[in-house]
Amino acid sequence: MRGIVSELPADFPFQITDPSGRTHRGVYALNVLVWNRGTQEISPSDFLDNAPLRLAVGKEAYIIKADSFSNDDQLACSAAQVDEQSVDIYFDCINPGDFLNIILFYGGKAMVDIDILGRIRGQAVSLDHQADEVKAGLGERLANFIVLLAIANMLVGLPISSWLIYRNYSFSDFFQTPTTIPPLLGSCFAMGIVLVGLFIQSRIFIWWERRKYPPGYPLHVDFEPTLIDNIKGMFLTVFRAKKQRLSASIFNWSKPVIMTRKKSKRLSVNDWIS
């Protein structure tokens, strides 16, 4: 989970300053969930002394402060900052079902990648992969799929159904005796007409809103993504479970942000411990 703590443009007459006196253009917060979904406990002795469990941000960002807490008061954990890009995680024992929340406050690039590092005793390779963003659920993917079908019907189905009705029937039949037209053909035409009407209505509202302001004055709609960008984001949500959201940052307001979800080898606790 990510969030914006504070942002200021470079020419703003104020500054974001931390207790050490360092100034920042933007401060962001990120929560990394470390969850034991296996059947065995994880203890600090499972990690090599010189390669503990570590979180690292890319070079385009820097860590300001790190904090941690667990789901159980008896599970002690802490986050020790190593340098500007990495934090080591220390804990007593993570039993099956327990989890840690690591909170990073950082500056620089807001959507920076987070790497999980460390070396487990008895494991052939290091525990090096990127943290996965939250993926879209089944309901969200289904909703986007329905919207994509509606858009495809408006762009493709409406012209085809209109031509078929005009060629084989008549538009008067559609309004006076709709039962004479096949249900699928009539539904495609009707849904397409409704969506076109809604699109025209939205354009009229935008035009009416612009009349209240001088020519060239930017409206909120001017910063929203285009139809093509929205379709691209919905495709990624439906077929690759990627979330899309609009940026709330003042530096790229309302720009589409695709939540990254990079593939990594899924390892269980049984694979880590010999």
Side-chain angles (χ1 to χ4, degrees), residues 13-243:
F14 297 96
Q15 291 180 332
I16 303 172
T17 307
D18 59 30
S20 65
R22 185 176 182 180
T23 60
H24 310 278
R25 186 167 177 245
V27 178
Y28 309 94
L30 184 144
N31 176 36
V32 180
L33 174 66
V34 179
W35 181 15
N36 184 356
R37 301 182 65 182
T39 59
Q40 298 185 32
E41 71 280 357
I42 303 174
S43 63
S45 60
D46 296 328
F47 290 86
L48 298 181
D49 295 336
N50 60 342
L53 180 61
R54 175 174 294 183
L55 301 180
V57 300
K59 293 183 178 180
E60 61 271 21
Y62 56 91
I63 298 173
I64 302 173
K65 184 181 179 182
D67 199 357
S68 64
F69 62 92
S70 65
N71 63 312
D72 193 324
D73 293 338
Q74 295 180 347
L75 173 55
C77 61
S78 62
Q81 186 168 346
V82 179
D83 51 40
E84 287 193 338
Q85 268 73 45
S86 57
V87 170
D88 285 348
I89 312 303
Y90 298 99
F91 52 88
D92 293 335
C93 179
I94 307 178
N95 292 318
D98 286 341
F99 60 85
L100 309 178
N101 284 285
I102 314 302
I103 313 299
L104 301 181
F105 296 95
Y106 63 98
K109 182 180 178 182
M111 297 299 296
V112 67
D113 289 331
I114 305 297
D115 293 326
I116 301 176
L117 311 173
R119 187 69 183 268
I120 310 298
R121 298 181 188 275
Q123 184 178 346
V125 295
S126 298
L127 181 65
D128 298 344
H129 67 273
Q130 287 186 329
D132 293 336
E133 300 282 356
V134 178
K135 67 178 181 179
L138 179 61
E140 185 175 355
R141 299 175 71 176
L142 181 60
N144 279 269
F145 180 69
I146 294 174
V147 174
L148 280 177
L149 288 180
I151 294 175
N153 179 69
M154 181 183 68
L155 299 178
V156 180
L158 179 59
I160 294 177
S161 60
S162 301
W163 180 77
L164 291 175
I165 292 176
Y166 174 76
R167 179 181 178 183
N168 301 322
Y169 308 93
S170 66
F171 291 108
S172 60
D173 292 338
F174 176 80
F175 294 104
Q176 297 177 4
T177 57
T179 56
T180 60
I181 299 177
L184 181 60
L185 183 62
S187 299
C188 288
F189 179 76
M191 288 298 298
I193 289 296
V194 170
L195 289 178
V196 169
L198 292 175
F199 178 78
I200 294 175
Q201 185 183 45
S202 66
R203 299 302 100 180
I204 293 176
F205 286 160
I206 293 173
W207 172 79
W208 189 264
E209 185 71 13
R210 290 191 188 281
R211 295 179 70 241
K212 302 178 182 179
Y213 300 94
Y217 187 85
L219 302 180
H220 188 275
V221 69
D222 295 325
F223 301 97
E224 294 179 354
T226 63
L227 179 62
I228 299 298
D229 290 332
N230 281 323
I231 292 176
K232 176 183 176 182
M234 286 187 287
F235 262 103
L236 292 175
T237 300
V238 172
F239 298 106
R240 299 185 62 184
K242 288 190 175 182
K243 283 181 173 289

